[in-house]
Amino acid sequence: MSGNTMRAVVLDAPGPVEALRIRELPIPVPEPGQVLIRVKAFGLNRSELHTRLGLAEGVVFPRVLGIEATGEVVASPGGEFRPGQQVVAMMGGMGRVYDGGYAEYTCVPAAQVIPFHSELDWPVLGAVPEMLQTAYGSLTVGLDGQAGQSILIRGGTSSVGMATAILAKQRGMTVLSTTRNPGKAAAMTKVGVDHVLIDDGAVADWVREILGDGVDTALELIGTPTLPDTLRATKVHGVVCFTGMLSNEWIVEKFYPIGYIPAGVRLTAYGGEASDLPAPVLQDFLDAVAAGTATVPVDRVFTMDEIREAHTYMEEGKATGKLVVVP
């Protein structure tokens, strides 16, 4: 940054990683109801990959990507937050309808901002907001997970999958989680997964060997290719929540509910906004991390200059946990 300008990652139109370009842009000027944040770290999300690949709808180009950011308040003209306050921001059109977190500064509606206080390192803090919001919302709103229940996490080495495993264990649930890569099993066990399943596309029989009638709850993070098998792994009156699409496939063609959904199994979905992550939940999670009773599954930390490398790493599915960028 120099003077009134900042560095930001701009996407002029969908394309390969080379379409991500670092430019000097004016620092945004917040209006009442907006918050200007100095970005200290931001997490990478499949949503931004979808935008770059041209799979996202409603995106206005050119655009600074990034559906989340973590940093400090610079200005809040409406008085919602004080300068210097630690905050996270996410969703609500960030990185799609208006410029997002892939920058040294971002200006977002106050409704998308959640305050916190922590002495954890910024890369750790930067991994949390969207990951925690999605995991927490899926587990509570989507699945209503309760102590003593079992959960199958389909796509377990994703950042949301890892975070969900951590939250589920905190709730006293039995966690079954999938990965296609046996080399990632140890990382999953480390965050509390009880049963690691090597996913060849069909794990329902394996789940029933472990639990008999199937799981009480299941979180689908891969997408429609594995959803039928996830439904088959779930017991009668169990719930499957469709949250993610790591496969980039989220449409069920020629959907016939009676033939698609096993009798008595419930299928729901979760998207989520900043309002779905209460500030006390964020603070409690960060405090637990600081106390060593919870972990943030960060796979790698990149600099903004490495944004193309980071997107390639994400697109190739190499991560076990969250990818974070520091400006």
Side-chain angles (χ1 to χ4, degrees), residues 90-103:
M90 72 188 89
M91 304 296 286
M94 279 184 72
R96 291 190 172 198
V97 181
Y98 53 88
D99 287 343
Y102 283 27

Side-chain angles (χ1 to χ4, degrees), residues 189-236:
T189 302
K190 188 176 180 181
V191 298
V193 172
D194 298 292
H195 302 277
V196 176
L197 311 181
I198 307 305
D199 199 343
D200 62 357
V203 301
D205 289 344
W206 194 355
V207 169
R208 289 178 177 276
E209 283 182 20
I210 297 170
L211 293 176
D213 294 335
V215 287
D216 299 295
T217 65
L219 178 59
E220 181 58 71
L221 297 173
I222 295 176
T224 56
T226 52
L227 180 57
D229 187 62
T230 299
L231 287 162
R232 286 193 294 271
T234 306
K235 66 171 55 175
V236 173

Side-chain angles (χ1 to χ4, degrees), residues 52-69:
R52 178 172 66 74
L53 295 176
L55 301 174
E57 296 181 352
V59 182
V60 182
F61 295 101
R63 181 59 63 223
V64 176
L65 296 184
I67 65 170
E68 67 176 316

